[in-house]
Amino acid sequence: MIVTKNWLNEWIDLDGISAEELCKTFNAIGLEVDAHETIRVADGVVVGFVEKCEKHPDADKLNVCQVNVGNEVRQIVCGASNVREGIHIALATVGAELPGGLKIKEAKLRGVDSHGMICSAKEIGLPSMGEGIMILDASIGELVLGKNLNEYGVFNDDVIEIELTANRGDCLSIHGIARDLRAALSRPLRERNTKETQENRLGIGRILQLHHTETFNSDLLFGAVEVKELSVPFIIALRLAIIEGVYTTAVDAVLLYATHSTGVILRAYPFEKFGDAENKGVITLQSDENGYAALYGKEKVAVIGVSQEKEAHFIAQEGLAVIEASYIAPEVISKKMGEKKVPSCPHYYRTSRGSEPTISIGIRYAAELFEKFSTSQVYGGNIELTTTYEPRLISMVEEEFESFIGLKIDKTRITQIFKNLGLDIGKPKGSTFAISVPKFRHDIVNKQDIIEEIVRIVGIDNIPSKPLVFAEANQMSNDLAEYKKTRLYRHRAAQSGFYESVHFVFNERAQVEKYGFVCTDADKELLNPITATFDTLRPTLLVGLLNSASANVKVNQKKIALFESGMVFDSNRQESKRIGFIISGALESDKIANAGKPAVIDFATFTKLIADVAGSFELVSHTPSHSLAHPYVCAKVLINGVNAGELFRVHPQVEEEFDLAQTFMCELNVDALPYALIEAQPYSKYQASYRDLSVLVSKEVTYETIKSVIEKHASPQIRRFYPVDRYVSESLGDQMSLSLRFVLQSDEKTLEEEDINAAMEWILSGLRDELGAGLR
């Protein structure tokens, strides 16, 4: 947001306040000053009047001008295409020193004496105002011939650029900035005549009417003006050049200037879009094909707060123009743009951040400009459509202010701050304040926002420092337990050789769906993604880990071992915490022990590393629901009989897509990982015995089936068992040889041979009866 000190002074009295003090005040109240520049036209650049202008006798592109500077007429040779008789200009007299070190001297151009230089805006240090010399007019004040330009405020000014946060749309105008200064400086805003004089004016109701069936939560105000002899006044042209405002016609310039001054969104339409000389114009407010609030005449002319049709712009030099002032709540229009984005014009920037809701200020201000700087005729009255606004009420007690701020502020001072900020406050009942938030402060929604307003006006530097005193609350909550659990497994992963990887909780929807994962439902999707590649909440950690592994390969990493813990989201945006792992390529780094040729990671080694982190678990056969996994090297992870996730080798085709060597991945649900008080368990002091059992059983029988049969027939002495070998051959046909190792132990005695044989015989009989297995 760009302001100038003199422009601000038209809205609030800044007498006696320097530009440095003004910048300091802006920074103190949270309006950060991004840049401060001065406009200081040099001494000796004066107001002149071109009394006569003739062609140079010896140069087609030069003119010989007689310029009156009050006490004399000076001859000036000028090459500007727009110089002519009867205009006021800026004349740099002999001896004046212009920006860049140019010093004006007596000169002779093609044999003709020249006593000075008629200047363009850039030549005297102003922003460019187009080709040619500056043409002055009375908009800067009374033009006194020979008077130094720097005696006029517009040529002796300070330009301040303010960096606004997105929520401070109320400060996107000179009026809005002045409103904040009123609270900081305790100075009233300058009174402006907001009442329209109706004398000798035709009523707008004679030529225009508005039809609507609903309001669309928008405020509209329409006026009309018969534009005549309007050119862009110099002060408006210069200030628009300072703020880099772009316009094509004089009407555009006036409305852009009024919008920047008041904050009200203003547009102009040719009357012919709504009616003609014989028929009253009709403006219709209705929903357009995209569901936006739109204005129609003989055809669609605009979307409120978003855009104006190209053919509906007022581009004529003269004629009857319909002026529209509008307001639509930023949360309404931003949500709509999130649902269905449509092309927008520059006004949308203001609308989406919060334009000025008191739209009558803008349309009155624009009418004053038309009447002041032209012979245009403004129609009396307005056609109005407004919505009812119920102010947001926030109640606070006096003690809360001191509790939040750390400083006791007098009740009278608090009340004055609220009043100066435009926050209505009823008569305090005891120590309770009922604060009514005005329409233009959509960013104030809770007590913390109210406190922030007070702190920035009082000044953070004016609040004395105090020792920090706090009493720690009981931290033994579920959140703490969840944090400690996650930290435990993160530390275990790091100790097992994995490096932690951290990603955004967003993925690219197209990439995730490509591999068969289900993303968030469309109606619950992100409204404003960070980028096109982060357009959905992640349903898995696996894709992010694959991307990171691929990035590591591109920088020649041979061993890649990464893990990540974080939230994932289902189609209803319900979140759950997962921990994911990936190992690709070499099992270890190059070293002497492996002769510089480390082994490649395999399924068994990867499973052991995961067990080092997650503890004891079982693997059962599993069919993956996504295409990242190798369909034949994939297992479900069971922890205490509960499905905790999956462990698999990455499909070779996916490995090739990501430029990875042999790669294994695992993703576990953190909720399924054990985290409880570890209790000591009794152990036997008697010797354990080991027995191997080799059985012949059908190839079609899964290990899970064999395991369940053994568990059913196992005696208490069998502490654990596990497979040690599987053998198949042509001689065995459709059978396989499976070797199992059993660990037997008793808490009461050393097991004798007959005890061991009995336990093993019971298991063998169970396998024989239920699976048809026999000894090999």
Side-chain angles (χ1 to χ4, degrees), residues 44-61:
V45 181
V46 302
V47 176
F49 180 76
V50 181
E51 293 185 342
K52 193 175 182 179
C53 181
E54 297 177 338
K55 285 292 182 183
H56 191 289
D58 196 29
D60 292 338
K61 294 185 179 181

Side-chain angles (χ1 to χ4, degrees), residues 241-291:
I242 290 171
I243 67 171
E244 300 178 356
V246 178
Y247 58 90
T248 55
T249 66
V251 171
D252 282 345
V254 169
L255 296 186
L256 178 58
Y257 182 81
T259 293
H260 196 81
S261 295
T262 65
V264 177
I265 305 299
L266 296 166
R267 291 177 178 153
Y269 308 96
F271 178 76
E272 293 75 18
K273 289 294 178 181
F274 307 105
D276 51 44
E278 297 180 357
N279 299 299
K280 182 184 290 190
V282 178
I283 303 174
T284 302
L285 172 64
Q286 64 184 47
S287 177
D288 70 359
E289 66 278 7
N290 296 309

Side-chain angles (χ1 to χ4, degrees), residues 445-469:
V445 296
N446 52 39
K447 294 180 180 181
Q448 288 77 6
D449 294 328
I450 292 291
I451 294 299
E452 183 181 351
E453 293 300 298
I454 294 175
V455 169
R456 70 187 186 88
I457 299 303
V458 170
I460 190 73
D461 294 334
N462 296 324
I463 298 175
S465 300
K466 292 184 178 180
L468 181 63
V469 178

Side-chain angles (χ1 to χ4, degrees), residues 644-676:
E646 60 182 350
L647 183 151
F648 58 87
R649 179 189 168 182
V650 175
H651 196 289
Q653 186 175 347
V654 177
E655 290 175 343
E656 184 177 348
E657 288 178 17
F658 285 89
D659 296 324
L660 298 174
Q662 183 164 292
T663 303
F664 291 88
M665 300 190 77
C666 176
E667 185 175 61
L668 302 176
N669 190 332
V670 173
D671 289 341
L673 298 175
Y675 184 73

Side-chain angles (χ1 to χ4, degrees), residues 102-247:
L102 176 62
K103 191 169 184 179
I104 304 302
K105 300 177 181 179
E106 300 280 358
K108 183 173 286 192
L109 301 175
R110 291 289 184 95
V112 177
D113 291 334
S114 182
H115 308 285
M117 184 174 76
I118 301 176
C119 300
S120 67
K122 290 184 70 174
E123 287 169 337
I124 61 174
L126 300 176
S128 176
M129 297 174 64
E131 297 296 327
I133 60 171
M134 290 194 310
I135 299 176
L136 306 177
D137 59 34
S139 64
I140 65 173
E142 182 184 358
L143 295 175
V144 180
L145 299 182
K147 183 177 180 179
N148 276 300
L149 286 190
N150 56 26
E151 296 181 42
Y152 294 90
V154 72
F155 297 111
N156 188 8
D157 208 349
D158 290 89
V159 180
I160 302 170
E161 184 172 354
I162 299 171
E163 185 72 27
L164 293 178
T165 53
N167 65 322
R168 291 306 307 274
D170 61 297
C171 287
L172 282 172
S173 67
I174 304 296
H175 172 224
I177 296 291
R179 191 162 46 198
D180 250 28
L181 283 176
R182 173 180 61 181
L185 302 175
S186 295
R187 294 191 177 191
L189 294 178
R190 293 190 187 276
E191 293 292 334
R192 303 192 70 85
N193 181 20
T194 58
K195 291 188 177 180
E196 180 183 40
T197 176
Q198 304 295 322
E199 187 177 349
N200 299 323
R201 287 186 176 181
L202 290 173
I204 192 173
R206 295 185 180 186
I207 63 168
L208 200 62
Q209 59 183 342
L210 174 65
H211 288 173
H212 66 92
T213 55
E214 55 181 311
T215 64
F216 296 95
N217 293 316
S218 59
D219 295 345
L220 293 169
L221 200 61
F222 294 95
V225 57
E226 185 72 43
V227 181
K228 294 180 182 178
E229 299 179 349
L230 177 66
S231 58
V232 183
F234 180 84
I235 191 170
I236 290 181
L238 177 58
R239 285 178 173 172
L240 291 182
I242 290 171
I243 67 171
E244 300 178 356
V246 178
Y247 58 90

Side-chain angles (χ1 to χ4, degrees), residues 501-526:
S501 180
V502 180
H503 304 91
F504 287 111
V505 295
F506 311 113
N507 277 143
E508 182 180 3
R509 188 182 187 97
Q511 184 186 34
V512 173
E513 289 182 337
K514 172 184 175 182
Y515 297 112
F517 294 97
V518 179
C519 294
T520 307
D521 290 342
D523 60 341
K524 296 181 176 65
E525 196 50 279
L526 301 175

